[in-house]
Amino acid sequence: MPDLADQGATVVITHRVKDGHQDGYNEWLEEIGPLCRASRGHLDWHIVRPLPGLSETYTVIIRFDTVENLQAWMNSDSRRYLIEKVRPLLAGDDDFFVRSGLDFWFTPQGAKAKVPVRWKQFLVTWSAIFPLASCVPLAVLPLLRWLGVPHLSYFDTLFISGVIVFLMVYLVMPRYTRLVQRWLFR
């Protein structure tokens, strides 16, 4: 199996900002953002801003190419200094959790780093993939033949696996893990 450090990593950071300090927090984001994006291995940076009147939580999602590079940023002196600088604006702590590999599917919204035991991850993933692996070819293969794609097992496998992964990531697993969440984290 490949080393987890080679599979990339995502950190999800949540900050609850005190009332009236949103402008200061936005200025702070303008200061920390370029430093993070200039860090070795940085891939992506997204900010989910709160909805006025509904939430005061900012969520920052940062992706790195390796767990090692993500940890280097999270433990850097620059980040540590800037976190101390923003603390007076926060209503809570600097909450974050790191996700890598398939663990991303199994971490409930708002969790720290809680991940279910591997055998439960295996069973949930298998029980989701089996019906897809059984049914998707029944729909994809006739479509490929209708589109004139010649019967080549590599092409068939490429398209079938692509559809299965798309369905797993965007439709099945987000809903399925919510459905079995109690059992997963018991």
Side-chain angles (χ1 to χ4, degrees):
M1 268 179 77
D3 184 2
L4 277 179
D6 296 331
Q7 294 184 9
T10 301
V11 63
V12 179
I13 304 166
T14 55
H15 289 150
R16 285 187 321 116
V17 178
K18 291 178 183 174
D19 252 357
H21 293 278
Q22 288 77 13
D23 289 341
Y25 185 82
N26 285 319
E27 289 172 16
W28 176 82
L29 285 172
E30 295 299 320
E31 185 177 358
I32 197 170
L35 293 173
C36 176
R37 289 189 291 271
S39 295
R40 182 175 186 209
H42 176 267
L43 297 174
D44 204 5
W45 161 284
H46 293 282
I47 300 169
V48 180
R49 298 180 188 280
L51 298 172
L54 296 176
S55 147
E56 67 259 353
T57 302
Y58 286 76
T59 303
V60 182
I61 304 163
I62 309 168
R63 292 186 320 123
F64 279 81
D65 61 349
T66 66
V67 173
E68 181 182 80
N69 285 336
L70 177 128
Q71 288 173 338
W73 163 248
M74 294 301 288
N75 297 323
S76 70
D77 291 336
S78 299
R79 184 178 186 280
R80 204 173 357 261
Y81 165 76
L82 288 166
I83 291 298
E84 288 308 314
K85 183 176 178 179
V86 79
R87 279 196 199 282
L89 307 179
L90 302 180
D93 201 8
D94 175 43
D95 293 328
F96 64 88
F97 58 94
V98 175
R99 296 175 168 182
S100 64
L102 293 179
D103 290 349
F104 193 86
W105 285 335
F106 295 101
T107 306
Q109 187 175 3
K112 299 291 188 239
K114 186 176 181 182
V115 176
V117 293
R118 293 278 181 194
W119 68 268
K120 287 185 178 183
Q121 291 182 42
F122 166 78
L123 287 177
V124 169
T125 305
W126 185 26
S127 67
I129 287 179
F130 177 75
L132 291 174
S134 300
C135 296
V136 167
L138 299 175
V140 171
L141 291 175
L143 179 64
L144 290 175
R145 299 301 88 80
W146 182 78
L147 292 172
V149 176
H151 174 68
L152 296 170
S153 63
Y154 290 116
F155 281 134
D156 292 349
T157 303
L158 175 72
F159 288 108
I160 290 168
S161 63
V163 170
I164 290 172
V165 170
F166 176 85
L167 292 171
M168 286 288 289
V169 170
Y170 291 103
L171 298 175
V172 175
M173 289 308 278
R175 290 164 180 81
Y176 191 29
T177 53
R178 271 196 303 272
L179 180 68
V180 297
Q181 183 173 341
R182 282 190 140 159
W183 175 76
L184 270 174
F185 294 95
R186 190 171 356 152

